[in-house]
Amino acid sequence: MAQEAADAKINTLSTELKLLRKGLGVQAKNLPGVVGEELRAVCGVREDDSPGTVRAKVVTRLQALIGKLPESQRETARIVLGFGTGANERYTARLELLGTGADRNIRTMQRRADDVIYLIAEAAYEAPAAFGASPVISRGPWHTSALAVRLSLAGAAAEVFETRRIVSHVAGLAEIEHGVSLARPASPAGEPELSGLGIDVVSGGEVHSVRMVSSTRVAFRLRPPRVLDAGDQHEFFFRIRLEEMPAPFYCCTPEFPCESFELNVRFDRREPPQRIWRIDGDLSKDAGDPVPARKPLFLDNAGEVHTSFRDLQPARSYGVGWQPAP
């Protein structure tokens, strides 16, 4: 019976994703209005979420799920759902991109699209690995199983949408310690408030014990809606608004291990960077250094770059750096 229920959820989500991929896919203006109930649940969408929040949650969650697919399927999944394609490329046009060489039979391409949609739905209900299965993940009271970040740049200002799913290692985990680096030194009078620092916890729990641990880093505790047992998963989502980026790079430097990190950076089309590169496991003090040779990244037609990381190690930095336009 449990397997039948799981199969039913996967099939329902597959149907909803097929509806979502029509037209412009994730780039459609009416995206928040076509998100089905199962997909809303998978993405942690609440009834009182604004359309912009719904879009951010759906996009970041789908990117994280695509990152869980076999590498050979990820690009197909991105094309099918409309990630990184032209702003006006509808589903039928994107479907043609799946054809390779002489293999351009429409039924074959449709079958490939349907297969990858099912794999995405299946990944949404994938059980977490057994606690203790990996020596890397066994450290700490919890680890991050999936982190998805969308960074949007507009002039000097920036906005960050972060969705993080953690897995508890202990029984009775009632609080999750978290921290965020700020753009500039902050000196709030009295106890700081996240909203005053440009940080909004949109969903996933109650925040308390906000404190500055350095002039540029704020820490807080997140209390999930229920106490977590070993192996339980919990997802939370928050937004950060920065009046000015502190430096031309964005990184995740985890305190505890992280299984996967999906990062999408949307640059200001009016001032595209001269070059962009991938930061992969650098020491934190070297993350912002533009001198070391690194893998180059390139803007797509939407002015975005997307990259992903697996098995992030604590105290190492992973992300994207860029050389601003002169």
Side-chain angles (χ1 to χ4, degrees):
M1 292 296 292
Q3 186 59 50
E4 291 179 3
D7 289 343
K9 283 180 173 289
I10 292 172
N11 290 330
T12 299
L13 183 56
S14 294
T15 300
E16 294 180 2
L17 289 173
K18 288 177 182 179
L19 178 63
L20 183 72
R21 76 186 178 187
K22 291 183 178 180
L24 300 178
V26 295
Q27 300 188 53
K29 291 182 179 179
N30 66 336
L31 172 67
V34 298
V35 178
E37 291 301 318
E38 197 66 32
L39 184 55
R40 293 174 71 90
V42 166
C43 298
V45 173
R46 303 189 309 182
E47 290 185 4
D48 58 348
D49 282 343
S50 67
T53 299
V54 174
R55 180 183 296 276
K57 287 185 176 182
V58 171
V59 166
T60 52
R61 183 73 170 116
L62 288 178
Q63 287 178 326
L65 292 174
I66 290 172
K68 297 172 70 174
L69 301 182
E71 187 172 355
S72 60
Q73 298 282 2
R74 292 174 197 164
E75 185 60 23
T76 297
R78 286 172 52 78
I79 291 172
V80 167
L81 290 174
F83 287 105
T85 56
N88 296 312
E89 283 191 304
R90 305 185 69 82
Y91 177 60
T92 51
R94 300 198 308 274
L95 203 59
E96 294 178 358
L97 298 176
L98 300 181
T100 56
D103 185 13
R104 293 186 178 274
N105 181 280
I106 190 66
R107 291 185 179 180
T108 299
M109 291 183 283
Q110 183 65 64
R111 186 166 59 249
R112 291 174 62 190
D114 289 345
D115 288 346
V116 81
I117 286 293
Y118 185 86
L119 290 175
I120 293 171
E122 193 175 55
Y125 301 105
E126 184 181 85
F131 169 62
S134 168
V136 172
I137 289 176
S138 63
R139 299 193 295 267
W142 54 269
H143 78 274
T144 299
S145 61
L147 171 63
V149 171
R150 286 183 63 83
L151 168 63
S152 180
L153 302 170
E159 192 167 25
V160 181
F161 297 91
E162 175 180 314
T163 300
R164 184 183 296 266
R165 186 168 70 249
I166 67 105
V167 179
S168 174
H169 293 178
V170 298
L173 183 66
E175 295 182 341
I176 301 164
E177 183 78 15
H178 197 50
V180 175
S181 295
L182 304 172
R184 61 183 61 182
S187 301
E191 184 175 326
E193 295 184 1
L194 290 186
S195 59
L197 298 171
I199 304 171
D200 299 320
V201 178
V202 178
S203 67
E206 178 186 4
V207 170
H208 68 97
S209 302
V210 181
R211 62 202 184 279
M212 301 301 302
V213 293
S214 75
S215 62
T216 59
R217 185 167 178 80
V218 60
F220 56 89
R221 293 177 182 173
L222 183 82
R223 184 178 295 122
R226 62 179 181 85
V227 175
L228 305 179
D229 287 329
D232 283 354
Q233 299 186 74
H234 180 66
E235 188 169 280
F236 57 97
F237 169 72
F238 62 86
R239 175 179 60 190
I240 306 173
R241 289 161 287 116
L242 303 173
E243 294 182 1
E244 183 179 354
M245 280 292 290
F249 68 93
Y250 183 92
C251 286
C252 169
T253 307
E255 180 179 359
F256 301 125
C258 176
E259 292 183 56
S260 71
F261 173 33
E262 301 285 330
L263 175 59
N264 191 93
V265 183
R266 185 180 184 89
F267 290 91
D268 192 330
R269 298 292 290 272
R270 299 166 300 180
E271 298 178 342
Q274 290 189 7
R275 68 184 184 99
I276 311 168
W277 57 86
R278 175 181 161 100
I279 299 169
D280 192 355
D282 289 16
L283 294 172
S284 58
K285 66 181 180 63
D286 297 331
D289 190 339
V291 174
R294 297 188 178 98
K295 178 181 178 180
L297 298 173
F298 303 96
L299 294 176
D300 62 18
N301 292 336
E304 301 180 0
V305 294
H306 175 83
T307 190
S308 60
F309 305 88
R310 294 291 175 273
D311 300 325
L312 285 70
Q313 302 300 305
R316 294 281 180 166
S317 295
Y318 305 81
V320 169
W322 61 90
Q323 182 179 351

